[in-house]
Amino acid sequence: MIDEIRVLAGDAVARARAAGTLDDLRALEAEVVGKKGALAGFKRRMGSLDPDQRRHVGQALNAAQWEVADALGARRDELDQAGRRSRLERERLDLTEVRAGRDAGHIHLVAQVIEELEDTFVGLGFRVAEGPEVEDDWHNFSALNFGEHHPARDMQDTFFVDLGAPGEVVLRTHTSPVQVRVMECQPPPIYTVMPGRVYRNEAADATHLAVFHQLECLVVDRGITFGHMAGTIDMFTKAFFGEGFSTRLRPSYFPFTEPSAEVDVRRPDGSWLELGGCGMVHPNVLANCGIDPEEWSGFAFGFGLDRLAATRHGITDLRDFLSTDVRVLEQF
Ligand code: FA5
């Protein structure tokens, strides 16, 4: 019996070394060392042997088991490595190569959207402004009428920067602080858009990122009404998405606008996308920025640009924007 076991093991080791695929290895493993394999068959036959023979046969079976398992493992590693090498070879990208007749790259989809929106609004007579991404509490919250302990501060999960007094410096959670900066340094009339990157301490999923982009729009002038705002938003939506898209406003709450609304865009297939918030600039905010709310009124809106770009290109998961996979990026 011991000789039979040795022959079986020697044969299995030779077959393992010669195996051409992982499937062949799996089949061999089942045939020899698996629960119903040949070695298990010998184990079952051991019951009829006397104790001394049983010990010898047991040792031979153990040795055979190890020997075959080692050979299977070694060949599996070799085949794995060969598979990885050939996959890398297949997917190899020569990034130093400029391919004739093809562009070497293009602007990121969200950056394309920002450029296009800036053009649309500049065409309507708006200016473009920018503000810092690391903000103080005054611009990100207090000047925007978020009371010190106001629960609305929790609406936006904030990343705090370890600088100055605790809680004093933040990564801006929205582009609305740029409204404050614009109003602080220029008298009305104001017609300005403010694109930029914003940060929230949120887990990323198909519709949320921790770092995303917004476009803020601020108008302050005499006699500005909610109707001007609704008209501007609808006009912009048609200009950006084309006919077939429309908007609706739903009542909402933001401390810095009153009344406030949520803007949804209706896609041609009838589905809705939440695009952003809007409202009439709160009189306290105008006053905080040194503008007389008796004389001036205004509206503001803030749109999520990543969702906007995704809708436009039929992308269903915002995390694809962070992809570095050329097969994803090349499609746009
Ligand atoms: C705001 O940020 C307000 N500052 C908008 C505003 C401006 C209201 C001016 C009134 C006047 P909100 O938290 O709802 O509001 O965010 C606005 C939009 O940003 C959302 O509708 C959505 O399109 C986008 N957004 C919000 N969180 C995320 C996220 N984690 N990932 C991607 N987009 C997001």
Side-chain angles (χ1 to χ4, degrees):
M1 203 157 150
I2 291 179
D3 284 345
E4 280 179 71
I5 293 170
R6 289 204 179 121
V7 170
L8 175 77
D11 176 55
V13 166
R15 284 171 61 199
R17 287 190 185 137
T21 67
L22 289 169
D23 280 344
D24 291 348
L25 274 187
R26 266 189 290 275
L28 180 61
E29 189 170 29
E31 182 190 322
V32 180
V33 294
K35 266 197 202 124
K36 294 186 182 149
L39 290 176
F42 282 109
K43 220 174 265 171
R44 278 193 295 276
R45 283 163 55 193
M46 272 167 60
S48 59
L49 302 175
D50 67 46
D52 202 37
Q53 279 178 322
R54 204 182 299 155
R55 194 161 50 82
H56 284 108
V57 170
Q59 280 168 353
L61 271 177
N62 275 345
Q65 185 105 19
W66 286 115
E67 210 182 325
V68 176
D70 275 357
L72 287 168
R75 186 61 187 148
R76 185 172 295 124
D77 285 350
E78 282 171 12
L79 289 175
D80 271 346
Q81 272 180 26
R84 198 169 315 126
R85 263 199 308 275
S86 81
R87 205 182 69 240
L88 286 176
E89 192 53 39
R90 267 200 318 279
E91 295 183 354
R92 194 172 76 96
L93 291 168
D94 184 352
L95 298 176
T96 61
E97 180 186 33
V98 177
R99 284 173 289 178
R102 295 189 62 167
D103 290 339
H106 60 71
I107 300 175
H108 192 275
L109 288 190
V110 176
Q112 287 179 24
V113 163
I114 292 177
E115 283 187 1
E116 201 175 313
L117 289 176
E118 285 178 3
D119 286 351
T120 307
F121 279 100
V122 166
L124 293 168
F126 282 73
R127 291 184 178 191
V128 179
E130 287 187 340
E133 292 177 21
V134 180
E135 261 299 4
D136 53 29
D137 178 275
W138 169 254
H139 290 93
N140 198 77
F141 291 123
S142 299
L144 290 167
N145 206 31
F146 286 83
E148 203 178 333
H149 301 293
H150 197 291
R153 281 181 187 244
D154 299 334
M155 280 162 60
Q156 302 172 353
D157 291 313
T158 310
F159 283 117
F160 293 96
V161 178
D162 190 7
L163 200 73
E168 179 54 32
V169 181
V170 303
L171 294 183
R172 67 178 178 196
T173 57
H174 51 172
T175 42
S176 299
V178 193
Q179 286 185 37
V180 178
R181 290 189 176 272
V182 168
M183 287 190 277
E184 279 175 342
C185 64
Q186 109 171 54
I190 296 170
Y191 290 81
T192 304
V193 287
M194 298 145 264
R197 195 181 290 140
V198 303
Y199 302 83
R200 290 191 198 172
N201 191 359
E202 289 187 23
D205 61 25
T207 53
H208 294 85
L209 297 174
V211 181
F212 58 102
H213 302 78
Q214 292 186 336
L215 179 98
E216 194 84 7
C217 172
L218 174 70
V219 168
V220 182
D221 207 339
R222 291 192 175 86
I224 294 293
T225 68
F226 202 85
H228 292 124
M229 182 183 75
T232 307
I233 291 174
D234 206 52
M235 184 275 330
F236 143 80
T237 310
K238 295 220 160 62
F240 184 75
F241 287 111
E243 292 300 326
F245 285 80
S246 56
T247 49
R248 73 175 173 196
L249 299 179
R250 279 181 291 124
S252 186
Y253 171 78
F254 298 99
F256 38 96
T257 47
E258 179 60 33
S260 305
E262 210 81 58
V263 183
D264 298 329
V265 171
R266 187 176 190 277
R267 304 183 182 99
D269 67 3
S271 62
W272 293 94
L273 165 80
E274 180 200 304
L275 199 57
C278 65
M280 301 304 291
V281 182
H282 196 291
N284 289 355
V285 176
L286 293 174
N288 283 339
C289 301
I291 294 175
D292 181 0
E294 297 294 328
E295 185 181 354
W296 305 96
S297 59
F299 70 76
F301 56 78
F303 289 164
L305 297 185
D306 309 74
R307 292 186 188 175
L308 211 129
T311 297
R312 188 177 222 197
H313 292 284
I315 293 168
T316 50
D317 192 325
L318 291 187
R319 290 167 293 191
D320 285 344
F321 283 138
L322 307 178
S323 170
T324 51
D325 188 330
V326 175
R327 288 167 300 187
V328 175
L329 300 175
E330 270 184 346
Q331 297 175 58
F332 304 102

